[in-house]
Amino acid sequence: MKYAITGSTGKFGRKAVEDLLKLVDASDVIALARNEEKAHELLPAGIEVRPGSYEDVDALTASLDGVDRLLFISSQPGAATPRLVQHTNVINAAKAAGVKYIAYTSFPSADTSTAPLAADHQGTEKLIKASGLDYSFLRNNWYVENDLGALAAGAAGKPFVYSAGSGRAGWTLERFYAEAAAKVLTLESPKSVYEFGGKMITYADLAQAVKDATGKVFDVESIDDAAYSKVLQGSGMDSDTADFIASMQTFIRDGNLDVPSTDLPDVLGTALPSIADQVKEALAE
């Protein structure tokens, strides 16, 4: 059985490769990377590195030759080539190369979510279903690291500011999502959909976790989206980026990440650490 992982030089990809090597022989692992030289520098010896640009269907098809199972890590939005175009290329290449199964990193409740960030994932899931390939959608909830700015502010005794109100999310460290992805890739009979995430909590709960993790005393401020954007701009962020980050608070407030599930600890085979412990780890990185 040959396993391949796209985006192998990113943080998620590197961790997934590391965890996959705990489950299968290095000779059965293929890392796909846009920058092969970087991949050889960052990834463990013994695995094969092949070209992995999402823009080149022919190269991807050649790189996926002989691959049975593919961990398809979604690309980042905002690139010159639209993300859904990139994803279409990966799916077409996988089908042409004879890949049997794709595990794709998606978005919580991607098939029904109204969050702007879910649109490309929704489109990708539809394309994978239409491809006829076996699949698992790994619908990852929010990463603890996504809110590192707020965590660091609280850890420094500065105000912890948010605008998501009482909206809940399943904050979990990125490494747990990557580990689960590697495990799903090797399961004999994986589910078609996994809703991965931690316990559903609010930003107020997350702020308390920072206090518990650091012992710091700081103000916790719930404000509106416009004010939140201005706070971000005051820290040096340009207005467009600040508005985009504020929009994430909006979809959390609207319940788009409130998807309770035990899929993540079930796949990992162990309970997740407390959110305070995870915050402490994120702050130590």
Side-chain angles (χ1 to χ4, degrees):
M1 183 78 73
K2 289 287 186 180
Y3 304 87
I5 295 178
T6 69
S8 61
T9 60
K11 182 180 178 183
F12 192 107
R14 295 198 308 273
K15 185 65 173 66
V17 167
E18 176 186 321
D19 287 314
L20 184 59
L21 289 174
K22 297 174 184 177
L23 303 171
V24 303
D25 291 336
S27 60
D28 291 328
V29 177
I30 298 167
L32 271 61
R34 182 184 302 275
N35 186 328
E36 295 170 76
E37 182 178 351
K38 181 179 179 181
H40 283 295
E41 293 174 356
L42 294 176
L43 299 174
I47 66 173
E48 184 178 358
V49 174
R50 296 181 183 176
S53 170
Y54 290 6
E55 283 84 12
D56 191 335
V57 179
D58 291 339
L60 280 170
T61 302
S63 291
L64 291 171
D65 181 53
V67 170
D68 299 291
R69 292 188 160 210
L70 174 66
L71 173 56
F72 173 16
I73 299 173
S74 58
S75 64
Q76 295 297 314
T81 301
R83 179 158 65 164
L84 191 55
V85 173
Q86 295 182 41
H87 289 185
T88 300
N89 291 341
V90 176
I91 295 163
N92 288 342
K95 186 173 181 178
V99 172
K100 298 178 179 63
Y101 165 88
I102 291 179
Y104 168 68
T105 59
S106 191
F107 188 88
S109 296
D111 54 337
T112 59
S113 178
T114 59
L117 279 182
D120 287 339
H121 296 292
Q122 187 174 88
T124 303
E125 288 192 2
K126 288 180 179 178
L127 289 169
I128 292 173
K129 285 182 177 180
S131 74
L133 301 176
D134 290 334
Y135 64 86
S136 291
F137 298 145
L138 314 180
R139 294 175 173 171
N140 295 339
N141 210 286
W142 220 226
Y143 297 175
V144 171
E145 293 90 339
N146 288 349
D147 285 293
L148 194 55
L151 306 184
K158 299 176 182 178
F160 181 107
V161 181
Y162 65 96
S163 65
S166 59
R168 303 196 307 171
W171 282 276
T172 308
L173 290 167
E174 185 174 2
R175 70 178 180 90
F176 290 117
Y177 294 110
E179 180 182 349
K183 288 194 170 184
V184 168
L185 196 64
T186 64
L187 292 177
E188 183 175 339
S189 300
K191 299 199 302 182
S192 58
V193 175
Y194 292 89
E195 294 288 352
F196 283 154
K199 178 182 177 182
M200 295 296 120
I201 62 173
T202 66
Y203 269 96
D205 298 323
L206 185 63
Q208 184 59 52
V210 178
K211 293 180 178 180
D212 293 342
T214 65
K216 294 286 187 177
V217 176
F218 52 85
D219 292 332
V220 180
E221 301 177 5
S222 176
I223 58 180
D224 63 32
D225 290 343
Y228 184 74
S229 179
K230 290 188 180 300
V231 168
L232 296 176
Q233 292 175 53
S235 68
M237 191 177 292
D238 67 84
S239 59
D240 287 344
T241 303
D243 287 343
F244 175 72
I245 299 299
S247 73
M248 297 182 186
Q249 296 280 310
T250 303
F251 72 67
I252 293 174
R253 183 175 62 246
D254 291 345
N256 283 283
L257 298 185
D258 195 350
V259 186
S261 171
T262 63
D263 283 346
L264 186 55
D266 288 348
V267 168
L268 294 175
T270 185
L272 293 164
S274 70
I275 189 63
D277 285 343
Q278 294 189 60
V279 164
K280 185 180 296 184
E281 180 177 329
L283 288 170
E285 290 184 355

